[in-house]
Amino acid sequence: MIQVIIDGKTCAAEEGEILLAVARRNGIDIPSFCYEEALAPYGACRMCLVEVVKGGREGITTSCTLQVTEGLDVLTESPEIIRLRKALLELYLAQAPRSESIRALAARYGVTRTRFTKKTVRDDPLQNRCILCGLCVRVCRDVMGVGAINYIGRGQFTEINTPFFEENETCQGCGACAEVCPTGAIAIEDIAPNRIMKSWSGTKVPLKTCQSCGRYFAPSPFVDNTLEKLDTALKAALQDLCPDCKRKEMTRQAILLSTGTPLPMK
Amino acid sequence: MEPQRLEEIIGRYPTPTGKILGILEHIQREMGYLPKDVLKLLAKRLELPLSELYSIATFYSFFTLEALGRHVVTVCMGTACHVKGAPELVASLKHHLGVEMDETTRDGKFLLTTDDGEYTLTSARCFGACSMAPVLRVDNKIFGYVTPERIPSILKQFGWEGNHH
Ligand code: SF4
Ligand code: FES
Ligand code: FES
């Protein structure tokens, strides 16, 4: 364990931990758009800038890529940091004029308008909300192991979508992308019997029906791929049940188990 | 491109570093563009998401995803050229080559190929020759101070023999 100082507060940390994570654990909220604990540091959005006062390379740096060392002393809201953050938020207001979360954060810093030209794309699949933070791309590829989407093009025309803007056959419809998106840009709709990934070129993924109650509950390929990773007994017990029926089944088994009855699979 | 040929190309790149770019460049050189089915095959073969290859292919201006004509006419649409009359050049080229442009690609560019596959008309940003604006390029040859009246004589240097339709 080492000690670091964040906004004057002494915090315990493991050597090499990411500063942003240490700060959050200690109740210090550094804004961020592109950081996700489960993913490798990326440093794309610049929202998490902090000022290193002592220890390490002094100056302004991104806290989501900064590994802590003994004696590190940083400020997360120094006048310079606030100035930069406001400028960034103005840029983000122009890039993603329809995003509520950007507007909310900007308002928190007193930024309510932008000097830059607002980017509005007609029929934008990402609803004029995408800031190209790359979280969706990385979670899909690095956590789900799929890689259905990626950056397309470059410069001011960069966008995120499926290759060739075609329905994607590798997409499992898990929705992890929408889950991590900081701006609510990704639209998904369940229209039985499919899940429609509206932002991803209308990719359709079949939904699975619960074997017990018959409800549609989750995308088939996602359920199947997840089940594949479980051991056989659990897999047999949980296969094709919606969360409600799954819970009932688990309880039933727990009761059977505690009363010493051998475990019959339903 | 035959799968066999793709295998040969892949086989030339033993190291993973720079492999993808090298292979894509190879395909582009050989075919003049990156055909969709070849990209799909390559993704399978390298066990990479297709999205990764598509991302690379759309990032570098060296790559094209569509077949190009035998001659490529590129009109500079940079600020200086635009002001000096690039749109008039495009209109004239469209007329002489007999291609219609009602569609621009998502990034505002266009790529039009004549029916006989001889010429492709496209645009680019500043060539870095603003002092000669408006500028256009046919294959590797740059032309400066171009006027719509000069278009036919320029095209003739590349085998054009009057309106194609
Ligand atoms: S869609 Fe959301 S998660 Fe994906 S790059 Fe845009 S802002 Fe980030
Ligand atoms: S969260 Fe650090 S740069 Fe995006
Ligand atoms: S704008 Fe055309 S060469 Fe610079």
Side-chain angles (χ1 to χ4, degrees), chain B:
Chain B
M1 177 174 281
E2 294 298 315
Q4 181 53 32
R5 179 75 193 119
L6 183 60
E7 283 308 319
E8 280 171 33
I9 295 176
I10 295 171
R12 295 198 191 181
Y13 297 86
T15 51
T17 356
K19 187 176 178 177
I20 304 171
L21 269 182
I23 295 170
L24 290 177
E25 198 182 324
H26 212 121
I27 300 169
Q28 166 88 31
R29 273 192 209 294
E30 204 160 302
M31 319 232 5
Y33 73 115
L34 300 175
K36 193 197 280 187
D37 55 332
V38 177
L39 285 183
K40 289 191 171 169
L41 198 61
L42 183 63
K44 277 221 177 65
R45 186 49 190 67
L46 298 181
E47 292 180 20
L48 278 169
L50 180 62
S51 65
E52 209 93 358
L53 296 184
Y54 189 72
S55 187
I56 295 170
T58 57
F59 182 86
Y60 295 98
S61 57
F62 173 75
F63 297 121
T64 40
L65 291 154
E66 274 174 75
L68 298 179
R70 214 152 60 87
H71 300 292
V72 180
V73 183
T74 314
V75 182
C76 176
M77 283 295 200
T79 312
C81 292
H82 201 275
V83 172
K84 290 278 194 163
E88 285 74 36
L89 299 186
V90 172
S92 165
L93 281 159
K94 268 170 51 189
H95 170 73
H96 287 105
L97 294 173
V99 287
E100 262 322 301
M101 174 170 51
D102 30 42
E103 287 250 344
T104 47
T105 57
R106 299 172 81 89
D107 53 5
K109 286 200 212 147
F110 53 87
L111 193 79
L112 302 156
T113 301
T114 54
D115 292 340
D116 59 6
E118 280 295 297
Y119 304 93
T120 292
L121 177 59
T122 184
S123 65
R125 296 284 152 180
C126 184
F127 287 180
C130 312
S131 62
M132 302 196 303
V135 175
L136 67 77
R137 184 175 63 211
V138 186
D139 300 339
N140 289 322
K141 207 163 168 213
I142 303 260
F143 298 86
Y145 309 112
V146 184
T147 56
E149 293 70 39
R150 269 184 68 204
I151 297 285
S153 75
I154 291 174
L155 288 177
K156 276 185 189 138
Q157 300 177 36
F158 299 88
W160 181 77
E161 303 166 333
N163 268 3
H164 274 236
H165 41 227

Side-chain angles (χ1 to χ4, degrees), chain A residues 33-34 95-96 99 102 125-126 129-139 149 151 159-160 176-187 199-200:
Chain A
F33 289 139
C34 74
Q95 163 75 20
S99 169
I102 302 268
L126 292 167
R129 289 179 184 165
C130 176
I131 56 164
L132 301 168
C133 73
L135 271 180
C136 53
V137 173
R138 290 179 291 140
V139 86
I149 46 172
Y151 289 97
E159 57 190 316
I160 311 252
C177 50
E179 202 70 44
V180 293
C181 177
T183 63
I186 301 164
S199 298
W200 307 143

